[in-house]
Amino acid sequence: MSAAARPLILAYHAVSSTWDSPLAVTEEALEQQAAYLRRRGYRGLTMAEAERLRTDGELPARTVVFTFDDGYRSTLRAAGILERHGYPGTVFAVTAFPASGAHLSWPGIEHELTDATAEQLEPLSWDDLAGLRDRGWEVGSHTVTHALLTAADDAALAAELGDSRQAIAHRLGACATIAYPYGVGDARVAAAARAAGYLAGCTLTGAHLDDEPHRRPRVGMTSADTGTRLRAKVSPVGVALRRSGAARSVRRLRRQRDWIPAAGSAE
Ligand SMILES: [Zn+2]
């Protein structure tokens, strides 16, 4: 146990070997990533568990948090894979979708929805989310509509944070953490998340202070992260290097990934 220990927080979206999209990792890649971390002795926690142990100074030296944004039905495949390695997961759901059953769609990913990919964009239902909770998963918020929060006015920001938290808490009993859509949360968003009652908030990467619960950085994982590349990426040195260049990498990420809108484009 160490007061300075940090969890390794991994960020995923969909899990599919039949969807060629930056949003999907293959089952094989996730399997290899989980197996590698288990061999290395990493203990698996949910986001809220990791945050609570960190606050108490009782986080084990090697902990991993597997997080899945958006709430694709394929998250259920991830649960099966992670379970074989004794790991729970944390899914961040966009709460407008579980009840409506509409295909997941928002600015930046609309082009992903075609006849061939419709199945990949089906959302988890509330029953699916309850099932994950019953398997030891945490269900957190990814807002109501997948809004770019840095571009939302104060009232819209409070509604996206508060209404989604309330919906999940009402359906599933609790909602302690949030992942900001597009991985983007500035100081105003972090303060609003704290005010809305969240214990912690996740970015994708980002410029962060050393200990900022409402802007926890994550490592975005892809199917290419296996073997040597995986070892380098999740090593403490690799994670620290990315943290030090965090602001730079957000800009680079925005250029590389057209599904992350530039700040202000959602106004
Ligand atoms: Zn998202």
Side-chain angles (χ1 to χ4, degrees):
M1 133 181 140
S2 159
R6 292 169 169 170
L8 174 65
I9 310 173
L10 305 180
Y12 297 86
H13 292 84
V15 179
S16 174
S17 301
T18 56
W19 188 24
D20 182 18
S21 162
L23 293 168
V25 299
T26 63
E27 286 98 325
E28 293 76 10
L30 179 62
E31 166 68 35
Q32 287 183 35
Q33 290 158 6
Y36 171 74
L37 291 164
R38 188 175 62 162
R39 282 198 305 276
R40 299 278 299 171
Y42 278 79
R43 178 180 166 193
L45 296 172
T46 65
M47 186 64 204
E49 287 169 346
E51 193 62 34
R52 291 193 179 105
L53 287 177
R54 186 172 176 170
T55 302
D56 294 343
E58 291 179 357
L59 193 71
R62 287 187 176 188
T63 54
V64 61
V65 179
F66 287 87
T67 71
F68 297 82
D69 287 8
D70 301 338
Y72 301 90
R73 272 189 60 78
S74 62
T75 310
L76 297 173
R77 287 184 204 140
I81 292 167
L82 293 182
E83 242 160 36
R84 290 201 288 276
H85 295 281
Y87 288 137
T90 300
V91 60
F92 294 111
V94 183
T95 60
F97 294 91
S100 77
H103 291 102
L104 297 171
S105 182
W106 41 77
I109 71 161
E110 323 92 317
H111 64 279
E112 295 282 0
L113 180 58
T114 66
D115 287 348
T117 65
E119 189 189 345
Q120 310 285 352
L121 289 152
E122 285 174 3
L124 292 165
S125 67
W126 283 115
D127 282 349
D128 293 330
L129 290 165
L132 286 170
R133 176 203 57 192
D134 293 344
R135 291 162 79 174
W137 278 52
E138 177 184 356
V139 179
S141 166
H142 200 42
T143 75
V144 178
T145 67
H146 206 278
L148 179 65
L149 297 177
T150 48
D153 66 26
D154 289 349
L157 175 60
E160 288 282 352
L161 297 171
D163 293 355
S164 58
R165 180 163 186 263
Q166 202 174 23
I168 293 167
H170 172 70
R171 294 274 190 164
L172 304 173
C175 178
T177 65
I178 182 166
Y180 307 122
Y182 309 103
V184 182
D186 58 15
R188 183 183 69 112
V189 169
R194 187 183 308 109
Y198 290 100
L199 180 68
C202 296
T203 60
L204 201 46
T205 58
H208 307 291
L209 304 176
D210 201 38
D211 188 15
E212 203 176 1
H214 294 87
R215 277 204 285 179
R216 294 291 189 214
R218 293 181 293 171
V219 178
M221 301 298 285
T222 72
S223 295
D225 295 317
T226 57
T228 310
R229 188 178 150 132
L230 172 64
R231 289 197 290 279
K233 190 161 185 176
V234 303
S235 74
V237 172
V239 171
L241 274 176
R242 261 193 317 284
R243 271 199 195 101
S244 67
R248 215 165 46 243
S249 49
V250 163
R251 288 196 293 274
R252 200 180 317 129
L253 194 71
R254 284 219 185 93
R255 281 200 299 275
Q256 284 173 355
R257 302 207 173 160
D258 60 4
W259 47 275
I260 301 178
S265 68
E267 284 171 349

